[in-house]
């Protein structure tokens, strides 16, 4: 029997204990009762960051801005990846314009930027938009 995974809720930041075997059962948050695992990226805000990078399921953050053409063209690819990776990796979008302090803290120099977190620590970073097959391969090379 495997230990439960600790996964933050994308809605209320509550930390949930979910058995690995139940990840495919659409688990709900014990605090707010909303779905814990989404098949779409969720919006990450400055106040959510510390809670959301924690947990046993990796978190991939897409740092973007409204004015960025490559960011806009990458958005549907990131959404497709979220559908394919549901239950294996959580995907979030961080608007660098509305969260300038956090973008600076993360050392963002160009957008779009992808940052992969596991257990509260950054484990990989990629700048620029990627086609879906390359994005999935990059994540596989990181153990996702």
């Amino acid at each position: 029997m495997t230990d439960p995974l600790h996964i933050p809720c994308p809605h209320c930041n509550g930390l949930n204990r979910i058995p690995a075997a139940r990840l495919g059962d659409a688990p709900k948050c014990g605090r707010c009762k909303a779905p814990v695992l989404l098949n779409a990226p969720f919006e990450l805000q400055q106040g959510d960051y510390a809670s959301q990078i924690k947990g046993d399921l990796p978190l991939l953050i897409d740092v973007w801005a409204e004015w960025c053409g490559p960011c806009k063209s990458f958005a549907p690819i990131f959404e497709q990846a979220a559908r394919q990776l549901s239950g294996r990796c959580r995907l979030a979008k961080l608007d660098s314009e509305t969260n300038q302090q956090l973008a600076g803290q993360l050392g963002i120099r160009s957008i779009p930027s992808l940052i992969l977190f596991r257990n509260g620590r950054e484990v990989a970073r990629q700048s620029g938009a990627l086609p879906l097959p390359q994005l999935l391969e990059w994540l596989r090379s990181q153990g996702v």
Side-chain angles (χ1 to χ4, degrees):
M1 190 78 187
T2 61
D3 290 333
L5 300 174
H6 294 88
I7 303 173
C9 174
H11 307 282
C12 73
N13 296 323
L15 197 57
N16 293 273
R17 293 174 45 150
I18 302 170
R22 304 286 314 262
L23 290 178
D25 296 343
K28 301 232 184 292
C29 176
R31 182 189 295 172
C32 73
K33 308 301 181 215
V36 173
L37 300 175
L38 306 175
N39 61 358
F42 65 93
E43 290 295 324
L44 185 65
Q45 303 295 327
Q46 173 91 29
D48 304 328
Y49 170 75
S51 298
Q52 290 299 324
I53 64 171
K54 296 176 184 172
D56 298 319
L57 217 52
L59 173 67
L60 179 63
I61 301 173
D62 171 22
V63 184
W64 67 285
E66 182 65 35
W67 52 263
C68 170
C71 296
K72 286 183 177 185
S73 65
F74 181 63
I77 294 168
F78 199 67
E79 289 178 20
Q80 287 177 349
R83 285 192 294 274
Q84 291 189 24
L85 296 167
S86 183
R88 291 189 311 179
C89 184
R90 299 175 312 121
L91 280 73
K93 296 186 69 67
L94 175 71
D95 184 340
S96 62
E97 291 294 305
T98 58
N99 296 280
Q100 291 181 10
Q101 182 180 358
L102 180 54
Q105 178 185 331
L106 292 171
I108 300 302
R109 301 284 178 253
S110 65
I111 53 174
S113 284
L114 299 171
I115 307 172
L116 182 64
F117 288 88
R118 187 177 283 124
N119 298 316
R121 294 202 319 252
E122 180 179 330
V123 294
R125 186 179 286 232
Q126 170 73 40
S127 292
L130 296 172
L132 183 61
Q134 288 178 327
L135 173 60
L136 296 174
E137 180 54 39
W138 178 70
L139 288 168
R140 268 192 296 279
S141 74
Q142 303 302 324
V144 174

